[in-house]
Every structure is written in structure tokens, then in C-alpha cells.
Amino acid sequence: MKRTAHTVSAEEMKRQHAFTEEIRTLPQRPETYYVVTYGCQMNAHDSEKLAGMLREMGMTEAKAKDEADFVIFNTCCIRENAERRALGNITWLREVRKKNPGLMIAVCGCMIQEPGMAEKILKQYGFINLAFGTSNLYRFPELLYRALNTDQSTVIVEECDVVPEGLPILRARKESAYLTIMYGCNNYCSYCIVPYVRGRERSREPAAILREAEDLLNSGVREIMLLGQNVNSYGKDLPEGKSFAGLLKELDRMGIPRIRFMTSHPKDLSDELIDAMAGSVHILPQFHLPVQSGSDRILEAMNRHYTRRQYLDRVRRLRDAVPGIGLSTDIIVGFPGETEEDFLQTMELVREVGYDSAFTFIYSPRTGTRAASLPDQIIPETATERIQRLISLQETLQQTTMSRFIGMEEEILTEGFSRRSSEAVSGKGRHGISVTVPGSAKDIGKIVKCRITGLKNNTLTAERIE
Ligand code: SF4
């Protein structure tokens, strides 16, 4: 297979595997582990890789973090809240160690990759055994081996933009699987720390992705979620100049029942990609297209590289090509300098698009990003008042947009019992919306055909038609 400059060599992966084997035989290695995950799907999938490596080292998962011999915090730094929660939990574990002196603690993920964080960890959290950044995930066996053989904290943060292949993965669900297609981000949106902690964009080789997808299909997976910070720009760094649309077409031909992807940047949403969706059988008719603001002035300050008009044009194009498509978005309220007029433009855009769901956030400054030093930071009271208006608008609109599904046939991939009834199961429909349908334990993890009959608390209810 032709390798990109970023792919970690097979020799290096073998070297890491040798550390895994060494750890298996160490008398002082932990018996049980627990991984605490914060943040997005990328992090959840990284935790599946950590669990896969730990299992190969001979460890089993503990039921709770205070019952484990080894606890790993896979952290997120997108919002200050997540960071504070992680640090609070890590400090609490120090108390647990008083009862269990052998307890090992590791911290990894985006937070560790933040500038200055490694030094802070060494100084303030010296009781941590091991800390490593996102780029070092594939070196986990080597780093753990080192940590098991020293009394000092092992802290490694390298800025290496790599693509590891062949890591073992212990997947959380059998029927639905994450599949990373690329790492990093080149966009530098002015409020976002991701490019600083996850590095530059680098795509996996198409052959490696297709092989993994095929293995998943053969193992009975019904749905794959393709992951990347900006999947729309997949392949731009590959020598062959592969595109995301091309990759989707190949995956569609493979016959995996359901294919989803996340996340997309509107500026890279090409006509080719929209046409690939329109002509596909297995790519689900849903699109998460973060808009962030409806004001051109704020979009420019956010460094988003599209205007309100361009965004709306993409939405129109998507709806023309894939009728009835499910649309969701992310919106930031209270970005520095956002006036009432800017905010009203966001409200207007939300009205115009009519999203099926919207993830709304109050802007939170992240040290190291451009927006953190912008003047005119919005006071919390104003931001809170605005987000409440936005949430209330979205909730009202959602009732109408979601009602369009009533009477329609849908297929849901059930995830578990409904929260409200033990005689109903729920999961996501093809359009990305939660649906509850009568069912039992034997339906969980299966695709169930149904007809939508009603809408309750932003969840669609349905009857079975099989
Ligand atoms: S596209 Fe923007 S918001 Fe998304 S990860 Fe990249 S920099 Fe962050």
C-alpha cells in the first residue's frame, strides 16, 4: 500500500506491539482499567482504541472508576467546563488512591496537548503516573511500560501529525461503529482550539478505510459513522487527490446498510458531495452543517470563510438534491462583538432554514485562540438571555419541522429501551431524528421498519409495519 508521509511505519507499530506483550507479562501491571471520556465522537473513538490496547495488554474493564487499578482520563479542551470537570475528577481520584495505593492514573487527549498544560500537570498534579497528548496515542503501550517502571510521572507531548494504522479497537456498540477517515483541522476558526491540539489535516489512505469498513460489515455492523473534524476536505492532502465524495461512493457500493458522517465545514461542501449523496443508496439523508452565526460580520470575525448567503445556498442545494433531508447545526451565541442586530440575524437564519435540531452554545474563550483576545467580550447575562431566546425559537420551530415526518415510513436502528417505557425501544431514523417504537430486548441493535405516528418532547413516536 502506498503510504502518506504521515502514516506511522509498520516497524514502529510492531515496536509498540512488543511493549504490549512485555506489559502482559509484568507482575506489577494493573488487572483492571476504566476509561473516562470527555468531549466529542473523536474522543469517544480514541477511548475505544485505548480500551482495545488495554485489552491486548491482558486487562479487563472495571465496572466503575473507583473499582479500577488503572484509570485513564481522555480529556477535551473545547470548552472550559469540560476541562474543569476533568481536573476536578482527577483530583478526586487522588483521595481514592489513599485507600488503594496501587491505583495508577493517566491523563490523555486534547487538554494535555494544550500549550503549557504538560508543565502544569507536572507541577500541580504530580500524583498522575502518565500524561500524553493526542499525537502520542499510538505510543500508549511504550509510555505505559515506562510509567510502570518508574516512580516519576511520565509526561510526553509531541507535535507530530501522524496517522496510525492497525490499532486494536474495543467498540462500545456492535451494530454501529465509528470509523476515523482523517485527523486534525486546517481551518483555525478564531474561537477554536482544535487545530492547536489535534494538528494539521491528514487523511487516512482510502484503501485502509475501505478495509476497515469491509471488516466492520463482515462483523455485522449495520451503521458506520465516518469521523473527522472536517470530513468535507478529506483527501486534499493525499497524493492521489481523492475526495470525500469519491470515498463515499466507494463505501456506498460496499453495501453497509447505513453510512453517516461528521463534521462538515460549509465552505468545503461541494456539489460533487451533494450529488454523491443524492445518487447513493446507503448514505443517510441527514446533514450536520454548523452555521455558528447568521451575521456576516460575526462569521468573518470567526474566520469561517463563508457568508450567510453562501451557507443558505448550500442548504437549498442539499434540499433540492436530497428531498426531506434531516438538517442539524451548531450555533455560538455571544461571540465577542455580537450586537443585538447580529443576534437577530442568527434568529432569522434559524427561522429561514428550519433545522430539525440545533446544538447551541454560549461562546467560551479558550486561551491561545484569536477570539480570546478580541475586544467587546459579551457579558454572561446578555449571552444567557440570547441563548434562551434562541433555544425557545428552535423548540417552537422544531415542532413544525419534525411534524413533516408524521405518516412517513422510517427505518430506525434501535439503541436501547425507551427512557419512558420498558415496552418500547428507541434509536435514530434515517433522517437523524430519535424515534420510539413498541419493541423488546430482541430488537435492540436491529433495524426496525415503522410508520411515524406522532411527536412527543422532540422524539417521534411510531408503530411497527413489519
Ligand atoms: S473547522 Fe473550525 S470549529 Fe471545526 S475543528 Fe476546525 S477550527 Fe475548530
Side-chain angles (χ1 to χ4, degrees):
M1 184 181 78
K2 189 171 180 185
R3 278 211 319 262
T4 63
H6 295 302
T7 307
V8 180
S9 70
E11 294 72 40
E12 175 58 23
M13 294 310 285
K14 255 191 226 154
R15 201 174 76 85
Q16 292 303 323
H17 189 69
F19 282 110
T20 298
E21 291 301 313
E22 285 286 334
I23 292 171
R24 277 185 88 89
T25 59
L26 280 181
Q28 76 272 31
R29 78 156 161 82
E31 292 289 328
T32 58
Y33 70 88
Y34 193 88
V35 183
V36 184
T37 309
Y38 299 89
C40 64
Q41 285 97 339
M42 295 289 274
N43 251 22
H45 191 35
D46 281 350
S47 288
E48 292 182 330
K49 292 173 188 166
L50 284 166
M53 288 188 264
L54 287 159
R55 187 183 53 174
E56 285 209 337
M57 291 167 193
M59 296 180 220
T60 53
E61 189 181 17
K63 284 197 184 73
K65 55 182 179 292
D66 50 356
E67 290 176 19
D69 302 328
F70 181 27
V71 179
I72 309 181
F73 290 90
N74 187 9
T75 61
C76 165
C77 64
I78 299 287
R79 315 194 69 74
E80 216 152 78
N81 241 352
E83 196 169 300
R84 239 181 279 127
R85 261 194 314 139
L87 290 172
N89 262 315
I90 294 164
T91 310
W92 167 79
L93 221 56
R94 184 187 208 169
E95 297 305 307
V96 176
R97 188 187 270 161
K98 285 183 185 155
K99 282 184 242 145
N100 174 10
L103 173 67
M104 278 196 81
I105 304 170
V107 187
C108 64
C110 298
M111 191 180 89
I112 297 299
Q113 202 84 29
E114 266 183 88
M117 186 50 84
E119 293 76 22
K120 183 173 167 180
I121 289 282
L122 276 176
K123 210 161 136 201
Q124 292 180 21
Y125 301 87
F127 58 92
I128 289 173
N129 301 85
L130 169 61
F132 55 98
T134 51
S135 297
N136 305 116
L137 185 75
Y138 76 96
R139 288 182 61 198
F140 176 53
E142 174 189 356
L143 302 175
L144 179 57
Y145 182 81
R146 274 208 240 165
L148 285 165
N149 287 291
T150 175
D151 293 335
Q152 310 287 313
S153 298
T154 304
V155 179
I156 308 263
V157 182
E158 288 171 333
E159 281 185 24
C160 47
D161 289 348
V162 291
V163 175
E165 290 294 351
L167 287 177
I169 301 172
L170 185 56
R171 297 187 188 271
R173 289 174 63 195
K174 279 199 185 78
E175 69 283 0
S176 175
Y178 293 129
L179 200 171
T180 305
I181 62 164
M182 62 190 297
Y183 299 87
C185 180
N186 287 353
N187 288 310
Y188 293 95
C189 298
S190 63
Y191 52 83
C192 180
I193 198 147
V194 165
Y196 304 94
V197 295
R198 290 223 172 231
R200 306 284 294 171
E201 277 177 10
R202 62 250 185 231
S203 305
R204 285 179 72 194
E205 292 287 345
I209 296 170
L210 294 174
R211 216 174 19 248
E212 188 174 336
E214 189 137 22
D215 288 348
L216 289 169
L217 177 64
N218 293 337
S219 71
V221 159
R222 317 297 294 153
E223 175 181 281
I224 57 169
M225 164 75 103
L226 307 174
L227 291 181
Q229 304 294 345
N230 175 16
V231 290
N232 294 5
S233 71
Y234 169 81
K236 286 184 181 161
D237 57 322
L238 290 176
E240 298 89 349
K242 290 267 180 186
S243 70
F244 182 49
L247 180 70
L248 280 182
K249 283 183 200 160
E250 290 194 58
L251 288 165
D252 188 43
R253 277 194 288 274
M254 199 176 271
I256 298 155
R258 293 161 59 117
I259 302 170
R260 302 160 67 198
F261 51 85
M262 182 154 234
T263 283
S264 296
H265 195 303
K267 79 173 167 53
D268 295 312
L269 171 49
S270 65
D271 285 346
E272 190 199 2
L273 170 54
I274 296 174
D275 293 341
M277 286 188 78
S280 81
V281 178
H282 304 290
I283 302 162
L284 296 187
Q286 53 178 269
F287 214 104
H288 184 71
L289 194 61
V291 65
Q292 309 301 8
S293 170
S295 151
D296 283 344
R297 213 176 59 80
I298 297 298
L299 286 172
E300 197 180 338
M302 287 176 164
N303 198 32
R304 291 289 288 174
H305 294 281
Y306 55 85
T307 61
R308 171 198 181 92
R309 192 183 56 74
Q310 286 164 336
Y311 180 89
L312 289 171
D313 170 70
R314 294 293 81 191
V315 169
R316 247 186 314 274
R317 184 77 177 79
L318 272 172
R319 283 190 165 145
D320 287 348
V322 188
I325 191 168
L327 275 181
S328 56
T329 197
D330 295 335
I331 300 171
I332 296 173
V333 170
F335 187 79
E338 183 191 72
T339 60
E340 177 65 14
E341 175 54 28
D342 294 316
F343 174 67
L344 289 177
Q345 286 180 29
T346 300
M347 296 277 274
E348 194 42 49
L349 181 136
V350 167
R351 250 183 232 111
E352 192 169 339
V353 175
Y355 294 104
D356 293 305
S357 65
F359 298 89
T360 52
F361 306 91
I362 289 181
Y363 167 75
S364 128
R366 299 305 293 129
T367 312
T369 61
R370 271 203 287 143
S373 53
L374 284 177
D376 303 327
Q377 300 279 329
I378 304 299
I379 58 167
E381 291 74 13
T382 305
T384 305
E385 188 265 336
R386 284 181 188 164
I387 203 165
Q388 280 164 354
R389 276 153 66 200
L390 180 62
I391 291 170
S392 149
L393 172 69
Q394 175 56 26
E395 277 175 359
T396 310
L397 294 172
Q398 213 159 302
Q399 296 295 313
T400 314
T401 56
M402 285 170 65
S403 311
R404 77 182 188 282
F405 293 110
I406 296 176
M408 240 176 73
E409 286 186 12
E410 227 338 352
E411 283 177 355
I412 65 165
L413 178 59
T414 60
E415 291 166 19
F417 281 105
S418 151
R419 268 184 292 153
R420 292 194 174 80
S421 163
S422 57
E423 287 168 7
V425 289
S426 62
K428 288 264 163 57
R430 290 172 51 80
H431 297 80
I433 295 167
S434 294
V435 182
T436 298
V437 67
S440 62
K442 69 176 173 29
D443 296 312
I444 294 170
K446 306 234 170 75
I447 292 177
V448 173
K449 282 194 177 162
C450 57
R451 179 171 291 105
I452 309 295
T453 50
L455 172 63
K456 222 189 227 170
N457 306 319
N458 291 334
T459 298
L460 293 167
T461 49
E463 62 187 14
R464 299 175 73 120
I465 55 172
E466 276 174 308

